[in-house]
Amino acid sequence: MSNKNNVSISVIRRLPRYYRFLNDLLMQDVERISSDKLANIMGVTAPQIRQDLNCFGGFGQQGYGYNVLELKNEISKILGIKNKLDTILIGVGNLGRAILTHIDFDSKGFNFIAAFDKDSEIIGKKLFGKEILDINNIDEFFKINKPVIAILCIPKSESDIVYKKLISLGIKGFWNFSHFDLSVDNKDIIVENVHLEDSLLTLCYRVNELK
Amino acid sequence: MSNKNNVSISVIRRLPRYYRFLNDLLMQDVERISSDKLANIMGVTAPQIRQDLNCFGGFGQQGYGYNVLELKNEISKILGIKNKLDTILIGVGNLGRAILTHIDFDSKGFNFIAAFDKDSEIIGKKLFGKEILDINNIDEFFKINKPVIAILCIPKSESDIVYKKLISLGIKGFWNFSHFDLSVDNKDIIVENVHLEDSLLTLCYRVNELK
DNA sequence: TAGATTGTTAATCGATTAACAATC
DNA sequence: TAGATTGTTAATCGATTAACAATC
């Protein structure tokens, strides 16, 4: 296990970006790269890259740099991509459907196993090869399946109650798209709040600042 | 104008969240709030709230706290929400459509005016009351309209060329959903990269760390 | 070997928090 | 007035960058 505790969240949030750029380099048949060149491509500093990576181990070689494939594989291991966490989607609206279409879950370490909704209009229909299930039957589902990740694409008003229900059923990680900050008092629950509107408001501010 | 330069990006990125919580408080008919109580609700520290707000002005009152409505309005002004930046969508796939459905652009300071795609199958169809236009006719469109914001929901492979084209046409801000880091060498161009996969990989790491 | 580049320690910078005088 | 809470300065903490010895 190359993961270590005490790695700051800033470092962790940079790992996916390293991973992405290393994949790009690999596609371009780049075999090795120095922290300096990579820093240049990514628009960051070389010492930052070296510091970040050395939180997890010494993956480079003096005088040579880093082997792109090897480093990519190391980061993949650190992220735990091959563990394939079983994942359910709650809320099959426009957004839920779009996310399922748009994201390659397998290559990101997840295994999509089921979708739930409360709308009888769509319950029973197929979605990416899986039947959309009735949210009211979710207890039965958990008797057979043990998903650990839930993607929340439900209205703000329903988030809190669904969140608590899912925790009681054993969900450990949430990818939350509802316009609601799930509070994380529980240290054993991980929440990634995706606040698209916050991102948009930041853009608003910054563009208005330009003038 | 209450905006000031030299406000750090960390502070700016917290503004939308303040705005969101103040709106919530208003919905609950809360008239005034102290930095201490707000900090508690938001899970941050009170001095941080006071420091952040004082980048833009003294909106509180000693011994009283902050008037919720007033503070909300101030932040709205700081963000520039009422300016309604004209916005176009590039790429009307699943994701583009979902974003248009899911996000209330008006309340976030934007005015959606048109969508573009290259797929003749969907060109001419209606989308939220606007006809989907041919991306090849975009020059003509800009002769009459002057949008400043573009939402990019196109594949990675096309991002770079479309990005450059749009800059040449006068776009100032990008909300970028393509799996591609638009490089921002130009100080007059603002890019908000939304990397959903990075968020997902971070969740992967953190949930795997739990065990 | 000489040149290159890492891994790592030390220095700097910036952001967060603590403290408190000002004041409503 | 007394109590509460801001605005702001100073202290602390953490993250980034610089520097360089180790070493491939």
Side-chain angles (χ1 to χ4, degrees):
Chain A
M1 182 61 123
S2 31
N3 290 14
K4 289 182 191 160
N5 290 325
N6 307 326
V7 177
S8 82
I9 189 75
S10 318
V11 174
I12 293 166
R13 289 200 180 281
R14 283 194 291 266
L15 290 178
R17 193 155 180 267
Y18 293 137
Y19 188 67
R20 194 148 42 80
F21 276 86
L22 288 166
N23 268 311
D24 288 353
L25 287 168
L26 218 54
M27 301 280 256
Q28 299 161 232
D29 293 315
V30 178
E31 201 176 278
R32 69 182 176 112
I33 192 144
S34 66
S35 59
D36 209 54
K37 285 208 198 88
L38 183 58
N40 234 274
I41 295 168
M42 296 184 63
V44 300
T45 65
Q48 180 166 77
I49 293 178
R50 295 202 298 274
Q51 286 272 34
D52 284 357
L53 296 178
N54 283 32
C55 292
F56 304 98
F59 305 129
Q61 210 163 57
Q62 283 97 329
Y64 172 88
Y66 299 86
N67 178 287
V68 176
L69 178 60
E70 198 188 294
L71 184 55
K72 192 208 93 157
N73 287 337
E74 289 292 349
I75 295 180
S76 169
K77 262 191 267 177
I78 294 165
L79 292 169
I81 289 175
K82 69 168 184 300
N83 295 2
K84 308 297 175 207
L85 305 166
D86 280 347
T87 302
I88 57 174
L89 170 68
I90 312 291
V92 190
N94 273 285
L95 189 65
R97 250 190 299 260
I99 286 161
L100 241 43
T101 317
H102 190 249
I103 302 282
D104 179 9
F105 284 97
D106 187 68
S107 74
K108 302 291 174 296
F110 298 83
N111 180 33
F112 171 61
I113 60 169
F116 293 86
D117 206 288
K118 62 171 191 181
D119 179 4
S120 57
E121 290 277 307
I122 59 170
I123 290 167
K125 289 190 177 164
K126 287 267 181 171
L127 184 71
F128 291 85
K130 322 275 177 183
E131 201 179 331
I132 299 170
L133 304 173
D134 189 338
I135 186 82
N136 292 314
N137 300 140
I138 199 161
D139 291 271
E140 283 92 278
F141 181 84
F142 271 79
K143 282 177 191 156
I144 303 166
N145 304 276
K146 287 282 165 241
V148 288
I149 305 288
I151 306 168
L152 298 188
C153 291
I154 53 182
K156 187 170 179 167
S157 54
E158 295 164 27
S159 302
D160 204 34
I161 191 159
V162 171
Y163 177 56
K164 284 180 182 126
K165 173 71 180 169
L166 290 169
I167 288 176
S168 79
L169 287 167
I171 291 288
K172 296 293 176 212
F174 292 86
W175 204 27
N176 177 36
F177 285 83
S178 68
H179 303 199
F180 181 79
D181 279 13
L182 296 174
S183 56
V184 203
D185 21 14
N186 190 335
K187 274 273 187 182
D188 293 332
I189 304 294
I190 307 291
V191 177
E192 274 283 310
N193 288 305
V194 180
H195 282 299
L196 295 178
E197 338 74 29
D198 287 11
S199 163
L200 197 54
L201 277 176
T202 305
L203 181 63
C204 178
Y205 174 91
R206 294 170 72 202
V207 170
N208 280 309
E209 271 297 273
L210 282 178
K211 294 157 194 170
Chain B
M1 181 61 125
S2 31
N3 291 13
K4 288 182 192 162
N5 291 325
N6 307 326
V7 177
S8 83
I9 190 74
S10 318
V11 174
I12 293 167
R13 289 199 181 282
R14 283 195 290 266
L15 290 177
R17 192 154 181 268
Y18 293 137
Y19 187 66
R20 195 147 41 80
F21 276 86
L22 289 166
N23 268 312
D24 288 354
L25 287 168
L26 218 54
M27 302 280 257
Q28 298 160 230
D29 292 315
V30 179
E31 202 176 278
R32 69 182 176 110
I33 193 143
S34 66
S35 58
D36 209 54
K37 286 210 198 85
L38 184 58
N40 235 273
I41 296 169
M42 295 184 64
V44 299
T45 64
Q48 178 166 79
I49 294 178
R50 295 203 298 274
Q51 286 273 33
D52 284 357
L53 296 177
N54 283 30
C55 292
F56 303 99
F59 306 129
Q61 209 163 57
Q62 282 97 330
Y64 172 87
Y66 299 86
N67 178 288
V68 176
L69 178 59
E70 199 188 294
L71 184 55
K72 191 208 93 158
N73 287 338
E74 290 290 349
I75 295 180
S76 169
K77 261 191 265 176
I78 294 165
L79 292 169
I81 288 174
K82 69 168 184 301
N83 295 2
K84 309 298 176 205
L85 305 166
D86 280 348
T87 302
I88 57 174
L89 170 69
I90 313 290
V92 189
N94 273 285
L95 188 64
R97 252 190 299 260
I99 286 162
L100 241 44
T101 316
H102 191 249
I103 302 282
D104 180 7
F105 284 96
D106 188 66
S107 74
K108 302 291 174 298
F110 298 84
N111 178 35
F112 171 60
I113 61 169
F116 293 87
D117 206 289
K118 62 172 189 180
D119 180 4
S120 56
E121 291 277 308
I122 60 169
I123 290 167
K125 289 190 175 161
K126 286 268 182 172
L127 184 71
F128 291 84
K130 320 276 177 182
E131 200 181 331
I132 299 170
L133 304 173
D134 188 337
I135 187 83
N136 293 312
N137 300 140
I138 200 164
D139 291 270
E140 283 91 278
F141 181 84
F142 271 78
K143 281 177 190 153
I144 302 164
N145 305 275
K146 288 283 165 239
V148 288
I149 305 287
I151 305 168
L152 297 188
C153 292
I154 54 181
K156 188 172 181 167
S157 53
E158 294 164 28
S159 301
D160 203 36
I161 191 158
V162 170
Y163 177 55
K164 286 182 181 123
K165 173 71 180 170
L166 290 168
I167 289 176
S168 78
L169 287 167
I171 291 289
K172 297 292 176 212
F174 292 85
W175 205 28
N176 177 36
F177 286 83
S178 67
H179 303 199
F180 181 79
D181 279 14
L182 296 174
S183 56
V184 202
D185 21 13
N186 191 335
K187 274 272 186 183
D188 293 333
I189 304 295
I190 307 292
V191 177
E192 276 283 311
N193 288 305
V194 180
H195 282 299
L196 295 179
E197 335 77 27
D198 287 10
S199 164
L200 196 55
L201 277 176
T202 305
L203 180 63
C204 178
Y205 173 91
R206 294 170 72 202
V207 170
N208 280 308
E209 271 298 273
L210 282 177
K211 295 158 194 171

